[in-house]
Amino acid sequence: MENKVLLEVNNLVKWFPIKSSFIKRTIGNVKAVDGVSFKIRKGETMGLVGESGCGKSTCGRTILRLLEKTSGQVLLDGEDIFALSKEELRKQRPRMQLVFQDPYSSLSPRLPVGEIIGEAVREHHIVPPDQFDDYITRVMDVCGLPEYYKDRYPHEFSGGQRQRICIARALALSPEFIVCDEPVSALDVSIQAQIINLLKKLQDDFGLTYLFISHDLSVVEHISDTVGVMYLGSMVEYAPTEKIFANPLNPYTEALFSAIPIPDPAAQINRIILQGSIPSPANPPSGCKFHTRCDKCMEVCKYACPEWLEVEPEHFCACHLYDTPEAAARAKETMAEMKTASSADASGN
């Protein structure tokens, strides 16, 4: 039986206003997340990848309502997160947690480990007061932390141990959904493997659902059931892990995956080098945002945004290379309209 959908994100938008320095008037927007949609089934992991600055972390934090959306919808088990009142949201907080990228700055240096893990447990009344100490001990044990760590402070631990503390803090609230925001990028390779294995074990034991944000595509391939690829705030491709790694459709995904190192000195690597740098999210290119760096760019890419289409079963892509006849016709209409508008502006000047 197929797992039910736990998290559904529909056309999520998060823009940050740019204010003028004098009268504080909004003169533009940084389009950090610009119309992202995907689903994650209960007990599965979705990997979210893309270059630095593409909006991955902002997307994760907006889903958890740590940032307020500009528009769109986030459904957790069918319930709209952004429709909840402050009191209702507070009750739902234990169900959705976050593991931060940096285990050094995400832990309070003034609290001992037992208090760091148990602070939210006490606040949300997860267990009765007389069971609190035993409960924290059990959570620490599950995460590979000895009981005597309770009275120690974060500065006494290594990076891997601190990340285990961060995971224990999230797990202590018995969540259903966890956003893992590059949880292993600050760790040594050998420690990365231990943390990834811990996350997979916890998922198996407690039925957790993850949104796993990462730059490391080999880690994403190992841990994820589905993968979404973001570029400049937009989702450009989404599919089950096996499909997207075996057959990347979007030219940006192809370029990204070509950078994965192969542990074989004799292997031929057909590396795709992208020209130029990522455009500003405050002023993205018209049409397809990737057209300024794409070696397969067509005239229509410069004017019309590609539609989000299911190119093959469960494999979604936004690229004019895979337009249906109907989508191609709409794109041509958009291109003609924009060319006419551009000509009118030029003649007016």
Side-chain angles (χ1 to χ4, degrees):
M1 181 179 173
E2 190 178 76
N3 290 348
K4 70 172 184 177
V5 172
L6 178 69
L7 182 80
E8 184 174 351
V9 178
N10 296 318
N11 201 30
L12 183 64
V13 174
K14 176 58 183 177
W15 292 358
F16 295 96
I18 303 170
K19 302 286 186 179
S20 61
S21 57
F22 293 105
I23 58 176
K24 301 300 180 184
R25 180 171 58 89
T26 299
I27 58 174
N29 291 286
V30 175
K31 300 176 181 179
V33 180
D34 198 19
V36 167
S37 299
F38 58 84
K39 298 177 181 178
I40 310 179
R41 295 187 182 96
K42 186 174 177 61
E44 293 189 354
T45 301
M46 175 185 160
L48 190 60
V49 301
E51 292 173 285
S52 294
C54 71
K56 305 185 299 295
S57 294
T58 302
C59 182
R61 294 179 186 218
T62 306
I63 287 169
L64 294 178
R65 203 174 162 182
L66 298 178
L67 299 170
E68 288 297 323
K69 67 173 183 177
T70 301
S71 64
Q73 190 181 49
V74 177
L75 302 176
L76 183 67
D77 211 6
E79 188 170 31
D80 189 349
I81 296 300
F82 288 94
L84 300 176
S85 66
K86 286 187 178 180
E87 190 59 36
E88 290 171 333
L89 180 62
R90 188 178 183 280
K91 292 178 181 177
Q92 294 296 325
R93 278 289 176 212
R95 298 180 64 196
M96 44 186 186
Q97 291 296 303
L98 173 64
V99 176
F100 293 93
Q101 175 180 357
D102 186 1
Y104 295 89
S105 62
S106 60
L107 298 174
S108 171
R110 305 186 181 199
L111 295 177
V113 167
E115 189 60 29
I116 288 172
I117 297 171
E119 187 177 22
V121 173
R122 189 181 288 114
E123 182 69 23
H124 287 280
H125 309 292
I126 302 298
V127 293
D130 61 324
Q131 299 177 22
F132 176 81
D133 200 55
D134 289 340
Y135 179 74
I136 299 304
T137 300
R138 291 200 302 273
V139 171
M140 291 178 65
D141 182 60
V142 166
C143 295
L145 298 167
E147 184 179 4
Y148 61 84
Y149 282 3
K150 274 185 186 178
D151 299 321
R152 294 188 179 181
Y153 288 82
H155 72 270
E156 301 179 62
F157 297 97
S158 66
Q161 289 170 323
R162 291 187 197 191
Q163 198 60 287
R164 287 177 184 270
I165 295 168
C166 293
I167 293 170
R169 177 175 59 184
L171 186 67
L173 294 172
S174 300
E176 297 175 44
F177 172 64
I178 300 179
V179 173
C180 301
D181 188 4
E182 302 193 44
V184 297
S185 63
L187 307 177
D188 293 338
V189 175
S190 60
I191 306 301
Q192 286 184 14
Q194 294 177 22
I195 298 300
I196 292 297
N197 290 335
L198 173 62
L199 289 171
K200 288 179 72 70
K201 182 179 185 301
L202 294 176
Q203 184 174 45
D204 294 338
D205 292 346
F206 299 100
L208 300 174
T209 303
Y210 296 140
L211 174 63
F212 192 90
I213 299 168
S214 181
H215 283 106
D216 193 330
L217 294 167
S218 57
V219 170
V220 169
E221 185 177 14
H222 174 68
I223 197 173
S224 302
D225 297 288
T226 57
V227 175
V229 182
M230 283 186 71
Y231 180 78
L232 208 62
S234 299
M235 190 79 80
V236 297
E237 191 165 354
Y238 170 81
T241 304
E242 300 79 11
K243 282 190 177 184
I244 199 168
F245 276 89
N247 181 33
L249 299 178
N250 194 285
Y252 175 67
T253 308
E254 287 185 70
L256 204 64
F257 286 9
S258 74
I260 301 175
I262 300 173
D264 181 0
Q268 293 291 323
I269 302 175
N270 297 318
R271 177 75 190 276
I272 301 172
I273 306 296
L274 295 177
Q275 302 301 315
S277 56
I278 302 179
S280 168
N283 186 27
S286 60
C288 174
K289 294 179 181 179
F290 185 58
H291 85 260
T292 57
R293 305 172 71 194
C294 182
D295 60 357
K296 298 178 182 177
C297 176
M298 302 176 289
E299 188 67 15
V300 68
C301 302
K302 301 175 183 178
Y303 297 96
C305 290
E307 294 185 20
W308 185 244
L309 300 172
E310 190 171 12
V311 178
E312 57 183 23
E314 296 186 306
H315 197 155
F316 295 83
C317 182
C319 181
H320 288 300
L321 292 172
Y322 307 100
D323 276 350
T324 61
E326 297 81 6
R330 287 191 290 269
K332 286 180 180 178
E333 288 177 11
T334 302
M335 182 171 64
E337 290 171 3
M338 293 193 70
K339 281 187 173 181
T340 301
S342 178
S343 300
D345 290 342
S347 61
N349 292 333

